[in-house]
Amino acid sequence: MTSYILRKAAADRTGADALVVGVLSSGSSGSSGRGPQIAPGGEAVADAYGKKLKPLLATLGFTGKAGQVATVPTNGVVKSPLLLLVGLGEEATTTAVRRAAGTAARAVTNATSVALALPSDDPALVRAAAEGFALGGYDFDTYRTSDPADRPSDVIVLCEGARRAEYVEALRTAEVVAAAVARTRDWVNTPPGDLTPAVFADAVAATHAELGGATGKRGKNATGTAAVTLTVWDDSELADAGCGGILGVGRGSDAPPRMVRLSYEPQDATAHLALVGKGITYDSGGLSIKPGASMTTMKMDMAGAASVVNAVLAIAELELPVRVTAFAPMAENMISGRATRPGDVLTMYRGKTVEVLNTDAEGRLILADALGHAVEAEPDLVVDVATLTGACMVALGDRVSGLFGNDDAALARFEEASDRAGEAFWHLPIPDEFGEKVRGNSKMADLAQHNAERWGGASYAAAFLREFVDEVPWLHLDIAGPAYNDKSAYGHVTAGGTGVSVATLVELARDLADAPTD
Ligand code: BES
Ligand code: MN
Ligand code: ZN
C-alpha cells in the first residue's frame, strides 16, 4: 500500500528518491520562441538549475508535449537524486495534471519515496495529481507468477496549502476514488471463468464487509460505509420476483444469475440517487453468437456493475449526504440447450413483455429488470451504466462514452460532474421514431428488443431502456468503448479495465448533495 502525504516544503530541498516536475510546452499564443517551461510547483527546481535548464531540456529533446517523460540524475543540483520530467502540454489543467501524474507513476521504477512538485495551487489540482499517480501506477498482477513490481511506499504531494482543510479533503477524495477505480479495474480484469455471477456477488459482499458495511440492518446512527446495507438475490429469488430479463439472459449458463443491491442511507441525505450497472460476467453473444475475435475482451461486460458498486462504496466512504441505491444485475450470456432463443418472449420485472430478436443484445434485458427495481425505490434520479453497444464505439471511439437521458437538468448536471472528474462523455439523442419502433416492431409482445436495422444502435438501446424508467429523471451511460483499454497505457489509464464512470458518479453524488433537485 502506498501512502499519500501532503506537505508544504521546497521541491529542491525534498529528499525523496524521485522528484516529479511538470513541463509546459510553449503555447501558440504569441510565445512561440519561449521554449518549454517548468510548470508551477517546480519553480524551485527551475531556479536550482538556473541557466542549465534550457540546454538540459534541449539535450533530452524535451518539448513538454503531453505524454512525454524523462528521468534525469540530479548530481546534487537538488536534494532528490532523480528528477522526473513529465510533459503537461500547453496548459496545466486538472486533466493535464491527472494524465501527467499517471505517466510519471509508470516511469518511476525504483523509488521507495516519490515527491510530486506538480501544479498544486488549487484543491482540484492536488486531487488530480494524487489520483493520476495512484491510477497510472495500477497493475493487475494477480495472475502473474513473477514478482510484482515495487511500488513506492510514500508519495509526497508538495503543496503550499498543505495544511488547509480543502486540500486535505481533496487528497482524501483522491485516495478514496482511486481505490474505488482500482477495485473496478480488478473485477473487470479478472478472467470470466473466475468471476461468474455468484463469485462476483460474493466479491461485492466481501468488499462491502471489508470496508465496514452494515451486517444485516443498518444501525440507527450509522455513518459512512456502516450506513450501507447489502442484499443479494439468487436465481430462485429472482424467479420469485419476476425478473424475466435477468433469468432469460442467464439461462444458457451453468453459472446462475444474481442481483446485488447496495443501499447507502445517511441520516442527513438531501437527495436520492439510484444507480444501475450492467453485470454480464461474460458475453459470448448467446445463440446469436459473436465472432471469435469479438469475444476475447467480453469479460469486461460487467464493468457497469463493478462501477456502480464501487461508486456507492466511495460515496459512503466520503460520507456524502446523499442517499444512493445501487442495483447490479449479474448474468453470464452463454449457449446451451436451455439458452433463450431469438424469437422467445420474456416477461420483465413489473410486467412488460419483450420479444428477444438477438440474444447478443442481452444488456438491455438485464437492465430492464434492474431499472424497474430502481424506479420503485422512488429516487430523484436514476443513472444506468453499461458496456451496451458496439454502435456507441463506432460513433465516439474508445475514449468517449455515450450519454443519453430524458431530463435536461440532469444531463447538464452530469456533464459538469464529468468535467470535474476528467472523464469524457458525449450527449447523444434518442430520436422519437426509435421509441415508436421499440413499441411497435414486435408482432406479438409489448416491446421489440432489437432493431433489424443497425443504424443508430446505441440510440435504439437507449430508447428500449427508457421504456422501463416511467417518468423518473434518468441518464444512461454507454461505456462500451472506454471501459476497457485493449491497447497500451496512456496517462492515468492503464491497459485492461479502466474503471471509467466511477469518478464521475462520485462527483454527481457530491453535486446532488450540494444542490438537490427540486
Ligand atoms: N457487450 C456488447 C457491447 C460491446 C461491444 C461492448 C464491444 C464492448 C465492446 C453488447 O452486449 C452487444 O453485444 N451489443 C450488440 C448489440 C446488437 C446485437 C444490437 C452489438 O453492439 O453488436
Ligand atoms: Mn452482447
Ligand atoms: Zn454485452
Side-chain angles (χ1 to χ4, degrees):
M1 267 296 279
T2 305
S3 51
Y4 285 79
I5 308 143
L6 256 188
R7 194 178 292 163
K8 179 177 168 175
D12 58 326
R13 277 176 275 137
T14 299
D17 297 336
L19 178 67
V20 178
V21 167
V23 180
L24 288 163
S25 62
S26 55
S28 49
S29 51
S31 51
S32 41
R34 207 174 45 127
Q37 306 283 315
I38 296 290
E43 293 91 345
V45 177
D47 289 348
Y49 273 88
K51 284 205 173 67
K52 290 192 187 125
L53 185 65
K54 225 178 162 173
L56 173 69
L57 294 175
T59 308
L60 293 166
F62 208 93
T63 60
K65 202 174 77 184
Q68 238 182 359
V69 58
T71 320
V72 188
T74 62
N75 300 319
V77 178
V78 297
K79 194 168 175 198
S80 169
L82 207 61
L83 183 64
L84 225 106
L85 300 168
V86 275
L88 287 168
E90 287 180 13
E91 221 188 315
T93 59
T94 52
T95 298
V97 168
R98 186 179 278 107
R99 291 188 180 161
T103 302
R106 278 188 307 284
V108 174
T109 47
N110 182 29
T112 306
S113 59
V114 178
L116 307 181
L118 291 166
S120 62
D121 56 358
D122 187 296
L125 289 168
V126 165
R127 173 174 167 191
E131 208 172 282
F133 194 89
L135 291 174
Y138 170 89
D139 186 29
F140 185 64
D141 54 24
T142 313
Y143 289 82
R144 224 176 273 133
T145 55
S146 53
D147 287 339
D150 282 331
R151 298 300 312 151
S153 55
D154 290 306
V155 175
I156 303 148
V157 183
L158 297 172
C159 168
E160 272 298 307
R163 290 191 202 97
R164 304 230 307 263
E166 63 265 40
Y167 287 86
V168 175
E169 182 63 28
L171 185 72
R172 159 125 171 98
T173 302
E175 288 188 89
V176 169
V177 170
V181 172
R183 288 194 303 267
T184 306
R185 291 180 179 180
D186 283 345
W187 284 339
V188 171
N189 289 331
T190 302
D194 290 351
L195 197 89
T196 56
V199 177
F200 189 11
D202 285 348
V204 173
T207 303
H208 169 259
E210 252 163 55
L211 292 174
T215 47
K217 260 180 95 94
R218 153 187 173 282
K220 226 176 175 310
N221 299 312
T223 56
T225 48
V228 181
T229 55
L230 169 93
T231 316
V232 180
W233 286 258
D234 66 17
D235 47 331
S236 72
E237 290 160 327
L238 287 166
D240 292 345
C243 292
I246 302 172
L247 288 167
V249 172
R251 288 171 65 111
S253 172
D254 288 341
R258 294 285 184 271
M259 184 160 72
V260 171
R261 176 180 59 198
L262 285 170
S263 167
Y264 169 53
E265 290 185 76
Q267 274 157 323
D268 48 356
T270 48
H272 183 189
L273 172 65
L275 302 175
V276 170
K278 173 177 173 182
I280 295 294
T281 60
Y282 191 69
D283 184 11
S284 72
L287 287 171
S288 315
I289 194 167
K290 286 182 183 295
S294 311
M295 248 187 248
T296 50
T297 57
M298 280 303 135
K299 65 175 182 180
M300 55 79 100
D301 216 15
M302 34 55 73
S307 295
V308 302
V309 164
N310 286 308
V312 61
L313 291 171
I315 291 162
E317 275 188 276
L318 293 169
E319 301 190 16
L320 300 181
V322 52
R323 184 174 162 202
V324 187
T325 314
F327 294 90
M330 299 164 176
E332 190 181 37
N333 190 21
M334 296 293 268
I335 292 180
S336 80
R338 286 190 317 272
T340 292
R341 309 148 188 83
D344 278 340
V345 172
L346 302 174
T347 302
M348 318 307 263
Y349 183 63
R350 304 181 87 210
K352 284 190 178 160
T353 59
V354 171
E355 184 177 5
V356 176
L357 297 161
N358 185 319
T359 62
D360 197 13
E362 81 297 337
R364 62 197 74 177
L365 300 173
I366 69 167
L367 291 171
D369 287 339
L371 285 169
H373 278 89
V375 165
E376 284 185 349
E378 297 183 347
D380 301 305
L381 172 65
V382 186
V383 183
D384 77 71
V385 187
T387 49
L388 204 62
T389 66
C392 198
M393 294 178 74
V394 172
L396 301 175
D398 60 4
R399 294 190 185 185
V400 179
S401 303
L403 167 64
F404 301 82
N406 64 359
D407 185 282
D408 288 342
L411 285 161
R413 197 188 268 274
F414 185 90
E415 288 186 313
E416 276 174 33
S418 71
D419 281 347
R420 285 200 301 280
E423 298 184 319
F425 288 83
W426 196 260
H427 179 204
L428 294 171
I430 310 177
D432 288 344
E433 94 215 53
F434 282 11
E436 287 157 23
K437 283 187 173 171
V438 167
R439 289 185 300 269
N441 272 9
S442 171
K443 304 227 163 26
M444 48 179 311
D446 297 337
L447 304 174
Q449 170 234 21
H450 175 65
N451 188 9
E453 199 175 280
R454 39 194 276 269
W455 318 124
S459 294
Y460 187 91
F464 181 86
L465 295 178
R466 192 175 56 185
E467 295 299 316
F468 297 90
V469 295
D470 301 344
E471 300 300 302
V472 178
W474 156 79
L475 300 174
H476 157 57
L477 317 181
D478 193 332
I479 60 166
Y484 197 82
N485 175 15
D486 58 5
K487 307 186 188 87
S488 41
Y490 60 92
H492 60 294
V493 183
T494 46
T498 64
V500 74
S501 83
V502 172
T504 300
L505 293 174
V506 174
E507 281 316 297
L508 181 67
R510 186 193 310 282
D511 191 63
L512 281 168
D514 288 348
T517 53
D518 35 37

